[in-house]
Amino acid sequence: MKIKLLLIALIAFLFNACSNTENTQSIKVGSEGAYKPFSYVDKDGKITGYDVEVVRILQEIDPSLNFSFNYAPWNALFLGLDSARFDMLANQIIKTQEREEKYLFNAESYFVSTSQFVTRADNADINTTADLKGKIAGGVVGSAHTKILEDWNNQNGNILEIRYYKDLIPLLQDLVNKRIDVHLNDPASIADIIKEQNLNLKVLDERISQSPVYFVFRKENLSNDLIQKIDAALLKAKETGKLRDLSMKYFGVDQSQ
């Protein structure tokens, strides 16, 4: 009788173990790991950042989601998704028509990327976009914000002269040194650079544009169930204030929605 009870208990244990394994999804997340403050490796060698911590919050809310992170340069992230090296991407990605033709996006955004003008904090001549006529703007070649800058300038009678830079750091140095007057970017993206380099800059309040940020998935049936789980967890993260608190921690403002 004891042997029979032991066998029943063992079978029940194995059944529960198998059920738990089946209910847990192992999801490989692709992220740059070098895009501070959204995705980067800290001094202890651990990947962190706003996007990374959002994913970890989702796992806390829904323990059936088991995420692991893999780094790749920006130009290799979508290739990694295509080749199934990653199951999803978390790297400040916005929707475009070209991307939506090839990939799936979840429905709930987890961040709103904005484009706002940045200028010197001691520049009393520039406080709103109405003060930009005849000024010089700097833009990084290939940046989405530079495209937004060009479009805005065209729509406003080309009031700005635009100078182009290969990298952001030299551009910001020229801004501080009064070689250019303004730069268009997401304040959250450059907040760390401004802080670390102690740059005396200010952000104008007006949002030139805003773009919700989403997770990206391959176009396949397996992605649909994962997207539903992630969206459900994201809604709870918003309702409980966890996403807002995370945004305040990283950026000092709520850009979670």
Side-chain angles (χ1 to χ4, degrees), residues 42-253:
D42 66 17
K43 61 182 179 181
D44 298 318
K46 179 184 177 183
I47 188 169
T48 187
Y50 178 80
D51 291 49
V52 173
E53 298 307 325
V54 169
V55 172
R56 289 183 173 138
I57 286 174
L58 301 184
Q59 184 168 309
E60 288 175 12
I61 292 172
D62 184 350
S64 73
L65 298 170
N66 180 25
F67 296 104
S68 60
F69 291 91
N70 299 272
Y71 321 148
W74 167 253
N75 58 7
L77 284 178
F78 286 94
L79 292 174
L81 187 62
D82 293 340
S83 64
R85 179 185 172 191
F86 313 129
D87 300 310
M88 61 180 273
L89 302 181
N91 204 84
Q92 287 292 297
I93 299 171
I94 63 174
K95 290 181 181 179
T96 65
Q97 183 178 347
E98 183 181 7
R99 288 171 183 168
E100 287 190 277
E101 287 173 358
K102 189 171 182 182
Y103 302 101
L104 293 177
F105 289 77
N106 64 306
E108 289 290 323
S109 68
Y110 63 93
F111 184 80
V112 178
S113 175
T114 67
S115 293
Q116 293 171 246
F117 280 106
V118 181
T119 188
R120 293 181 299 281
D122 60 359
N123 190 342
D125 295 333
I126 300 178
N127 296 292
T128 71
T129 53
D131 303 322
L132 295 182
K133 186 175 182 180
K135 304 299 183 183
I136 302 171
V140 177
V141 175
S143 165
H145 295 288
T146 301
K147 180 64 168 64
I148 293 167
L149 171 64
E150 292 168 340
D151 291 344
W152 182 90
N153 199 35
N154 287 334
Q155 292 162 10
N156 287 272
N158 292 306
I159 62 173
L160 288 167
E161 175 189 337
I162 301 176
R163 294 181 185 172
Y164 294 90
Y165 293 76
K166 292 182 179 179
D167 299 298
L168 179 60
I169 300 302
L171 184 157
L172 292 178
Q173 290 296 335
D174 274 5
L175 181 56
V176 170
N177 293 324
K178 304 182 180 181
R179 296 188 183 97
I180 59 175
D181 301 301
V182 290
H183 169 57
L184 191 71
N185 211 316
D186 185 338
S189 298
I190 62 172
D192 256 24
I193 297 173
I194 291 173
K195 184 178 178 180
E196 287 177 359
Q197 298 196 15
N198 195 28
L199 303 177
N200 191 29
L201 300 175
K202 67 180 179 182
V203 179
L204 303 191
D205 291 334
E206 184 179 345
R207 289 185 174 185
I208 302 306
S209 74
Q210 55 186 46
S211 303
V213 170
Y214 302 90
F215 300 117
V216 189
F217 309 81
R218 279 188 303 281
K219 269 194 175 180
E220 58 186 30
N221 290 333
L222 288 174
S223 296
N224 292 320
D225 291 338
L226 176 57
I227 287 171
Q228 287 182 2
K229 282 189 172 187
I230 284 174
D231 277 332
L234 265 175
L235 276 172
K236 287 185 180 179
K238 290 178 180 180
E239 290 167 359
T240 58
K242 288 186 175 182
L243 216 58
R244 180 196 63 240
D245 293 345
L246 187 68
S247 180
M248 293 298 295
K249 173 186 173 181
Y250 275 92
F251 314 117
V253 293

Side-chain angles (χ1 to χ4, degrees), residues 27-40:
I27 303 137
K28 296 170 289 186
V29 183
S31 196
E32 276 186 87
Y35 185 24
K36 198 173 182 180
F38 300 106
S39 169
Y40 65 97

